[in-house]
Amino acid sequence: MQANLPHLQSIFTADCVIFGFEEGELKVLLIERNEYPFKGWWGLPGFFVEHNETIDDAVERILYEHTGLRDIYMEQLYTFGDLQRHPQGRVITVAYYAMLRLEGLTSLKPGTDYVRQAVWHPLNKLPDLAFDHHNIIEKSISKIRKKISYSPIAFELLPEKFTLTQLQQLYEAIWDKKLDKRNFRKKMLNYNILKELDEKQRGVAFRAAKFYRFDKRKYAKVFGNELNFS
Amino acid sequence: MQANLPHLQSIFTADCVIFGFEEGELKVLLIERNEYPFKGWWGLPGFFVEHNETIDDAVERILYEHTGLRDIYMEQLYTFGDLQRHPQGRVITVAYYAMLRLEGLTSLKPGTDYVRQAVWHPLNKLPDLAFDHHNIIEKSISKIRKKISYSPIAFELLPEKFTLTQLQQLYEAIWDKKLDKRNFRKKMLNYNILKELDEKQRGVAFRAAKFYRFDKRKYAKVFGNELNFS
DNA sequence: GATGTTAGTGTAAAAAATACACCCTATATT
DNA sequence: AATATAGGGTGTATTTTTTACACTAACATC
């Protein structure tokens, strides 16, 4: 594709799909590539896995180098190994995903020349992407939809303190579907994994909403075991 | 570990976790290795992925070479890349799993010298296994437990025609838990994905049970969409 | 025809899910 | 000060789903 392609450093890489939620919208973290192939394109943070590091370590390192984000718990999504996914030959990539609270994470500083900038993009208006990254993002979304059905990963995407409306909007964004306010609240509160705080919203031009916090201990009790059949 | 280790042909492999169900018991397909490392040990069918084949193709080829099994739909489970999982250095392995009807699959013929024999082993008395294969099997089981909660993959593990009791025993084996017969039947029949056949068991020393068949079309309608929230 | 073994069935009670509409309250506007 | 605006917050009746629970039916064998 381009003259001065770098040598392949290994035949497998790790990619990160980082989701964030802000203003009722799901976003994904993309980087602008500063290196061939796909120089100048947007893509997922991702790079070669070194020979002496585990994949888990690699993906953490790569995310940090590309975006400055640290200590993000990522889960493995899928491994992609199509023959044409990389223009320089078959490169297998292990994709990981994570969900983040988007408060205060607006300015991201890449720590490598391979990346020009890292920017949150709304999921419903993504640019063209390098490699098969569109495909990887698709797969992540469908995994998240399933997962949120039986485990409240949603909390990862919200600030520490959140209102029930924010929580509901998040579910609505992930499922792309309106939910009933009263039923949603009833169900959520019945799980008993939310802790009501004394605090309220401030400076809003309408009745202020109560803040809630997610109770990790209770969560483990409720969702630690499998779904029930009988 | 051993003198004449073969050269590493690539740094990643694909492993197969094949589950079968027979006589109320879950089984997994293991091979006896005829090659270092772990010559003489039991392990999962697995081998190197060639440079010009997709992982999906590789895993299908490997399963065939190791066991003679063909046209088995396998799903990707997880990619394992710990530094110590292979004695010759870091080898990344992509594990796939599948579930099979165990009728008539008793005699398996390996087609490669790497494998001495392929044998079904009951899940609850596995021998010591090569590499991290115990770990891989563990992870497969927990995936199956989750998956069966929201999609009836159980049918893959039963013969074409099965009785409701067989179906129930399968669920009980996967969940390691007794279920109520009446409730189980009611629920299963209510899904409307079973077709009652005219046929009955024959030659059994007690009241013969009706056979059922799994209706794929109806299944897609019922389980095609996600779990519901509101 | 007695025995043993699994197949097959119903109902009442409890729990969960759903559909649905109005008043509350903090600010902004006039 | 009165009013408008916009989201916050709540209850109930109905339906659906889940659960707990025990006996008779059918068939082969002795």
Side-chain angles (χ1 to χ4, degrees), chain A residues 34-183:
Chain A
N34 195 27
E35 194 65 44
Y36 295 107
F38 293 103
K39 182 167 182 172
W41 289 54
W42 291 96
L44 295 170
F47 208 68
F48 297 101
V49 176
E50 301 288 341
H51 215 70
N52 57 354
E53 64 182 351
T54 66
I55 314 178
D56 289 6
D57 288 346
V59 78
E60 207 173 310
R61 168 183 62 80
I62 291 163
L63 182 64
Y64 178 64
E65 288 176 1
H66 282 201
T67 69
L69 285 178
R70 202 155 213 181
D71 295 324
I72 305 294
Y73 174 69
M74 287 179 269
E75 244 179 63
Q76 194 182 298
L77 167 70
Y78 199 79
T79 297
F80 299 84
D82 275 3
L83 298 176
Q84 314 78 2
R85 61 172 299 282
H86 195 292
Q88 287 170 270
R90 202 271 286 284
V91 175
I92 289 183
T93 197
V94 185
Y96 279 64
Y97 73 96
M99 320 197 67
L100 286 195
R101 318 175 172 198
L102 259 197
E103 39 167 2
L105 294 178
T106 35
S107 86
L108 296 164
K109 298 250 182 306
T112 165
D113 286 344
Y114 288 108
V115 173
R116 281 197 200 135
Q117 51 173 334
V119 177
W120 295 100
H121 287 246
L123 257 187
N124 43 20
K125 30 192 151 131
L126 293 180
D128 282 346
L129 296 179
F131 308 109
D132 54 352
H133 288 181
H134 254 301
N135 181 26
I136 295 177
I137 291 175
E138 275 300 312
K139 192 138 190 162
S140 302
I141 296 171
S142 83
K143 181 131 180 179
I144 282 177
R145 285 217 181 100
K146 270 190 191 151
K147 191 151 187 182
I148 206 174
S149 312
Y150 57 85
S151 108
I153 46 167
F155 298 106
E156 310 286 321
L157 280 167
L158 289 176
E160 194 83 32
K161 301 169 186 174
F162 50 84
T163 68
L164 288 179
T165 300
Q166 284 169 347
L167 185 58
Q168 181 175 343
Q169 282 171 346
L170 175 53
Y171 274 83
E172 289 175 343
I174 292 176
W175 275 327
D176 196 18
K177 184 179 169 183
K178 285 276 163 216
L179 302 175
D180 178 83
K181 183 158 65 161
R182 276 178 293 191
N183 293 340

Side-chain angles (χ1 to χ4, degrees), chain B residues 28-79:
Chain B
V28 65
L29 184 52
L30 299 178
I31 55 147
E32 188 186 348
R33 296 172 60 86
N34 194 27
E35 194 65 43
Y36 295 107
F38 293 104
K39 184 168 182 171
W41 289 54
W42 291 96
L44 295 170
F47 208 69
F48 297 100
V49 176
E50 302 288 342
H51 213 70
N52 56 354
E53 62 182 351
T54 66
I55 315 177
D56 289 7
D57 288 346
V59 78
E60 207 173 307
R61 169 181 63 79
I62 291 163
L63 182 64
Y64 178 64
E65 289 175 2
H66 283 201
T67 69
L69 286 178
R70 203 156 212 180
D71 294 324
I72 305 294
Y73 174 69
M74 289 180 270
E75 246 179 60
Q76 193 181 300
L77 168 72
Y78 198 80
T79 297

Side-chain angles (χ1 to χ4, degrees), chain A residues 225-230, chain B residues 21 24-26 99 123 140-154 157 167-180 183-184 187-188 191 223:
Chain A
N225 21 20
E226 308 300 332
L227 288 188
N228 55 326
F229 192 90
S230 150
Chain B
F21 183 70
E25 217 176 28
L26 271 183
M99 321 198 67
L123 257 188
S140 302
I141 296 170
S142 81
K143 180 130 181 180
I144 282 177
R145 284 219 181 101
K146 268 190 193 154
K147 191 152 186 182
I148 205 175
S149 312
Y150 56 85
S151 108
I153 46 167
L157 280 165
L167 186 58
Q168 181 176 343
Q169 282 171 347
L170 174 54
Y171 273 83
E172 289 176 343
I174 292 177
W175 275 327
D176 196 18
K177 184 179 173 185
K178 286 276 164 218
L179 303 176
D180 178 83
N183 292 339
F184 179 83
K187 191 159 177 173
M188 268 298 154
Y191 282 145
F223 291 94

